[in-house]
Short mmCIF file of all heavy atoms in Angstrom, two decimals:
data_model
loop_
_atom_site.label_atom_id
_atom_site.label_comp_id
_atom_site.label_asym_id
_atom_site.label_seq_id
_atom_site.Cartn_x
_atom_site.Cartn_y
_atom_site.Cartn_z
N ALA A 30 125.06 104.68 156.28
CA ALA A 30 124.98 105.06 157.69
C ALA A 30 124.16 104.06 158.48
O ALA A 30 124.48 103.73 159.63
CB ALA A 30 124.37 106.46 157.81
N ASN A 31 123.10 103.54 157.87
CA ASN A 31 122.30 102.53 158.54
C ASN A 31 123.08 101.24 158.73
O ASN A 31 122.97 100.58 159.76
CB ASN A 31 121.02 102.27 157.76
CG ASN A 31 120.09 101.33 158.50
OD1 ASN A 31 119.60 101.64 159.58
ND2 ASN A 31 119.86 100.16 157.94
N PHE A 32 123.86 100.86 157.71
CA PHE A 32 124.70 99.67 157.84
C PHE A 32 125.63 99.79 159.04
O PHE A 32 125.83 98.86 159.81
CB PHE A 32 125.52 99.45 156.58
CG PHE A 32 124.75 98.92 155.41
CD1 PHE A 32 125.17 99.19 154.11
CD2 PHE A 32 123.61 98.13 155.58
CE1 PHE A 32 124.48 98.70 153.02
CE2 PHE A 32 122.91 97.63 154.49
CZ PHE A 32 123.34 97.92 153.20
N ILE A 33 126.25 100.97 159.17
CA ILE A 33 127.19 101.18 160.28
C ILE A 33 126.44 101.19 161.60
O ILE A 33 126.86 100.55 162.58
CB ILE A 33 127.95 102.50 160.07
CG1 ILE A 33 128.76 102.46 158.77
CG2 ILE A 33 128.85 102.79 161.27
CD1 ILE A 33 129.78 101.35 158.70
N ARG A 34 125.32 101.88 161.65
CA ARG A 34 124.54 101.99 162.89
C ARG A 34 124.02 100.62 163.33
O ARG A 34 123.98 100.32 164.53
CB ARG A 34 123.39 102.96 162.66
CG ARG A 34 122.57 103.29 163.90
CD ARG A 34 121.63 104.47 163.63
NE ARG A 34 120.88 104.32 162.41
CZ ARG A 34 121.04 105.10 161.34
NH1 ARG A 34 121.94 106.07 161.33
NH2 ARG A 34 120.30 104.92 160.24
N GLU A 35 123.64 99.78 162.38
CA GLU A 35 123.06 98.47 162.70
C GLU A 35 124.09 97.36 162.72
O GLU A 35 123.72 96.18 162.77
CB GLU A 35 121.96 98.15 161.67
CG GLU A 35 120.81 99.13 161.67
CD GLU A 35 119.99 99.05 162.94
OE1 GLU A 35 119.87 97.94 163.50
OE2 GLU A 35 119.49 100.11 163.39
N ASP A 36 125.40 97.72 162.68
CA ASP A 36 126.49 96.74 162.80
C ASP A 36 126.45 95.66 161.73
O ASP A 36 126.70 94.48 162.00
CB ASP A 36 126.48 96.08 164.19
CG ASP A 36 126.76 97.07 165.30
OD1 ASP A 36 127.50 98.05 165.05
OD2 ASP A 36 126.23 96.88 166.41
N TYR A 37 126.16 96.04 160.50
CA TYR A 37 126.20 95.08 159.40
C TYR A 37 127.63 94.67 159.08
O TYR A 37 128.58 95.44 159.27
CB TYR A 37 125.59 95.70 158.14
CG TYR A 37 124.09 95.56 158.02
CD1 TYR A 37 123.24 96.32 158.81
CD2 TYR A 37 123.53 94.66 157.12
CE1 TYR A 37 121.87 96.20 158.69
CE2 TYR A 37 122.16 94.53 156.99
CZ TYR A 37 121.34 95.31 157.78
OH TYR A 37 119.98 95.19 157.66
N THR A 38 127.75 93.47 158.56
CA THR A 38 128.98 93.02 157.92
C THR A 38 128.88 93.39 156.44
O THR A 38 127.84 93.17 155.80
CB THR A 38 129.15 91.51 158.07
OG1 THR A 38 129.45 91.21 159.44
CG2 THR A 38 130.27 90.99 157.19
N LEU A 39 129.94 93.95 155.91
CA LEU A 39 129.97 94.37 154.51
C LEU A 39 131.08 93.61 153.78
O LEU A 39 132.07 93.21 154.40
CB LEU A 39 130.22 95.87 154.41
CG LEU A 39 129.27 96.77 155.20
CD1 LEU A 39 129.68 98.23 155.08
CD2 LEU A 39 127.84 96.57 154.75
N GLY A 40 130.91 93.46 152.49
CA GLY A 40 131.96 92.73 151.79
C GLY A 40 131.70 92.60 150.30
O GLY A 40 130.85 93.29 149.75
N TRP A 41 132.45 91.68 149.70
CA TRP A 41 132.43 91.47 148.27
C TRP A 41 132.10 90.02 147.94
O TRP A 41 132.58 89.10 148.61
CB TRP A 41 133.80 91.80 147.68
CG TRP A 41 134.19 93.22 147.77
CD1 TRP A 41 134.78 93.85 148.83
CD2 TRP A 41 134.04 94.22 146.75
NE1 TRP A 41 135.00 95.17 148.53
CE2 TRP A 41 134.57 95.43 147.25
CE3 TRP A 41 133.55 94.20 145.45
CZ2 TRP A 41 134.58 96.61 146.52
CZ3 TRP A 41 133.56 95.38 144.71
CH2 TRP A 41 134.07 96.57 145.25
N PHE A 42 131.32 89.84 146.90
CA PHE A 42 131.13 88.53 146.32
C PHE A 42 131.33 88.67 144.82
O PHE A 42 131.38 89.77 144.28
CB PHE A 42 129.78 87.92 146.69
CG PHE A 42 128.57 88.71 146.23
CD1 PHE A 42 127.94 88.38 145.03
CD2 PHE A 42 128.05 89.74 147.01
CE1 PHE A 42 126.81 89.08 144.61
CE2 PHE A 42 126.93 90.44 146.59
CZ PHE A 42 126.31 90.12 145.39
N ARG A 43 131.49 87.54 144.14
CA ARG A 43 131.74 87.59 142.71
C ARG A 43 130.99 86.49 141.98
O ARG A 43 130.56 85.52 142.58
CB ARG A 43 133.25 87.46 142.43
CG ARG A 43 133.84 86.11 142.79
CD ARG A 43 135.37 86.13 142.66
NE ARG A 43 135.96 84.83 142.98
CZ ARG A 43 137.27 84.61 143.06
NH1 ARG A 43 138.13 85.61 142.83
NH2 ARG A 43 137.72 83.40 143.35
N GLN A 44 130.86 86.68 140.68
CA GLN A 44 130.23 85.67 139.85
C GLN A 44 130.99 85.55 138.55
O GLN A 44 131.10 86.51 137.79
CB GLN A 44 128.77 86.01 139.57
CG GLN A 44 128.04 84.89 138.84
CD GLN A 44 126.54 85.08 138.84
OE1 GLN A 44 126.03 86.18 138.98
NE2 GLN A 44 125.82 83.98 138.69
N ALA A 45 131.52 84.35 138.32
CA ALA A 45 132.19 84.04 137.07
C ALA A 45 131.17 83.48 136.09
O ALA A 45 130.14 82.94 136.51
CB ALA A 45 133.31 83.05 137.32
N PRO A 46 131.45 83.58 134.80
CA PRO A 46 130.51 83.07 133.80
C PRO A 46 130.18 81.60 134.05
O PRO A 46 131.08 80.77 134.23
CB PRO A 46 131.26 83.25 132.49
CG PRO A 46 132.20 84.37 132.73
CD PRO A 46 132.62 84.22 134.17
N GLY A 47 128.90 81.29 134.08
CA GLY A 47 128.48 79.92 134.24
C GLY A 47 128.61 79.36 135.64
O GLY A 47 128.39 78.16 135.86
N LYS A 48 128.96 80.20 136.60
CA LYS A 48 129.14 79.73 137.97
C LYS A 48 128.23 80.48 138.93
O LYS A 48 127.72 81.55 138.63
CB LYS A 48 130.61 79.90 138.40
CG LYS A 48 131.58 79.04 137.64
CD LYS A 48 132.96 79.10 138.26
CE LYS A 48 133.93 78.15 137.57
NZ LYS A 48 135.28 78.19 138.18
N GLU A 49 128.06 79.87 140.10
CA GLU A 49 127.29 80.50 141.15
C GLU A 49 128.07 81.68 141.73
O GLU A 49 129.29 81.72 141.68
CB GLU A 49 127.01 79.50 142.28
CG GLU A 49 126.10 78.36 141.93
CD GLU A 49 124.63 78.74 142.08
OE1 GLU A 49 124.33 79.90 142.41
OE2 GLU A 49 123.79 77.85 141.83
N ARG A 50 127.33 82.61 142.31
CA ARG A 50 127.99 83.68 143.05
C ARG A 50 128.72 83.08 144.26
O ARG A 50 128.22 82.13 144.87
CB ARG A 50 126.95 84.68 143.54
CG ARG A 50 126.31 85.48 142.42
CD ARG A 50 125.20 86.33 142.98
NE ARG A 50 124.72 87.30 141.99
CZ ARG A 50 123.75 88.17 142.21
NH1 ARG A 50 123.16 88.20 143.40
NH2 ARG A 50 123.38 89.01 141.29
N GLU A 51 129.85 83.66 144.61
CA GLU A 51 130.59 83.19 145.78
C GLU A 51 131.12 84.37 146.57
O GLU A 51 131.57 85.37 145.99
CB GLU A 51 131.74 82.28 145.37
CG GLU A 51 132.79 82.93 144.49
CD GLU A 51 134.02 82.07 144.30
OE1 GLU A 51 134.14 81.02 144.97
OE2 GLU A 51 134.86 82.46 143.49
N GLY A 52 131.07 84.24 147.88
CA GLY A 52 131.63 85.26 148.74
C GLY A 52 133.14 85.28 148.60
O GLY A 52 133.78 84.24 148.46
N VAL A 53 133.71 86.47 148.67
CA VAL A 53 135.15 86.64 148.49
C VAL A 53 135.81 87.17 149.76
O VAL A 53 136.78 86.61 150.25
CB VAL A 53 135.42 87.60 147.32
CG1 VAL A 53 136.91 87.91 147.22
CG2 VAL A 53 134.92 87.02 146.02
N ALA A 54 135.28 88.27 150.27
CA ALA A 54 135.91 88.93 151.41
C ALA A 54 134.87 89.75 152.16
O ALA A 54 133.97 90.31 151.53
CB ALA A 54 137.04 89.85 150.96
N ALA A 55 135.01 89.81 153.46
CA ALA A 55 134.04 90.56 154.27
C ALA A 55 134.72 91.17 155.48
O ALA A 55 135.75 90.67 155.95
CB ALA A 55 132.90 89.64 154.71
N ILE A 56 134.10 92.24 155.98
CA ILE A 56 134.60 92.91 157.17
C ILE A 56 133.40 93.23 158.06
O ILE A 56 132.40 93.78 157.59
CB ILE A 56 135.40 94.18 156.78
CG1 ILE A 56 135.96 94.88 158.03
CG2 ILE A 56 134.58 95.14 155.92
CD1 ILE A 56 137.01 95.93 157.69
N ASP A 57 133.51 92.87 159.34
CA ASP A 57 132.36 93.10 160.22
C ASP A 57 132.47 94.45 160.91
O ASP A 57 133.39 95.23 160.66
CB ASP A 57 132.19 91.94 161.22
CG ASP A 57 133.28 91.88 162.28
OD1 ASP A 57 134.03 92.87 162.46
OD2 ASP A 57 133.38 90.83 162.95
N SER A 58 131.53 94.72 161.80
CA SER A 58 131.46 96.03 162.44
C SER A 58 132.64 96.31 163.36
O SER A 58 132.92 97.46 163.68
CB SER A 58 130.15 96.17 163.20
OG SER A 58 130.04 95.17 164.19
N ASP A 59 133.33 95.26 163.80
CA ASP A 59 134.50 95.43 164.65
C ASP A 59 135.80 95.45 163.87
O ASP A 59 136.88 95.54 164.45
CB ASP A 59 134.58 94.29 165.68
CG ASP A 59 133.45 94.35 166.68
OD1 ASP A 59 133.06 95.47 167.07
OD2 ASP A 59 132.93 93.28 167.06
N GLY A 60 135.68 95.34 162.55
CA GLY A 60 136.88 95.34 161.71
C GLY A 60 137.48 93.98 161.48
O GLY A 60 138.55 93.86 160.86
N ASN A 61 136.81 92.94 161.96
CA ASN A 61 137.30 91.58 161.71
C ASN A 61 137.01 91.21 160.26
O ASN A 61 135.94 91.50 159.74
CB ASN A 61 136.59 90.58 162.63
CG ASN A 61 136.85 90.87 164.09
OD1 ASN A 61 137.99 90.98 164.50
ND2 ASN A 61 135.79 91.02 164.87
N THR A 62 137.97 90.57 159.63
CA THR A 62 137.82 90.21 158.22
C THR A 62 137.82 88.70 158.03
O THR A 62 138.31 87.95 158.89
CB THR A 62 138.95 90.81 157.37
OG1 THR A 62 140.21 90.37 157.91
CG2 THR A 62 138.91 92.33 157.39
N HIS A 63 137.27 88.28 156.92
CA HIS A 63 137.29 86.88 156.54
C HIS A 63 137.38 86.81 155.03
O HIS A 63 136.79 87.64 154.33
CB HIS A 63 136.04 86.16 157.04
CG HIS A 63 136.13 84.67 156.88
ND1 HIS A 63 136.82 83.86 157.77
CD2 HIS A 63 135.65 83.83 155.93
CE1 HIS A 63 136.75 82.61 157.38
NE2 HIS A 63 136.03 82.56 156.27
#
Side-chain angles (χ1 to χ4, degrees):
N31 186 64
F32 285 153
I33 299 301
R34 186 168 49 247
E35 298 292 327
D36 295 330
Y37 273 74
T38 289
L39 306 177
W41 294 84
F42 61 95
R43 67 187 181 186
Q44 187 167 24
K48 294 189 176 181
E49 293 276 2
R50 292 174 169 180
E51 61 171 352
V53 174
I56 181 167
D57 70 15
S58 59
D59 293 323
N61 299 306
T62 57
H63 190 80

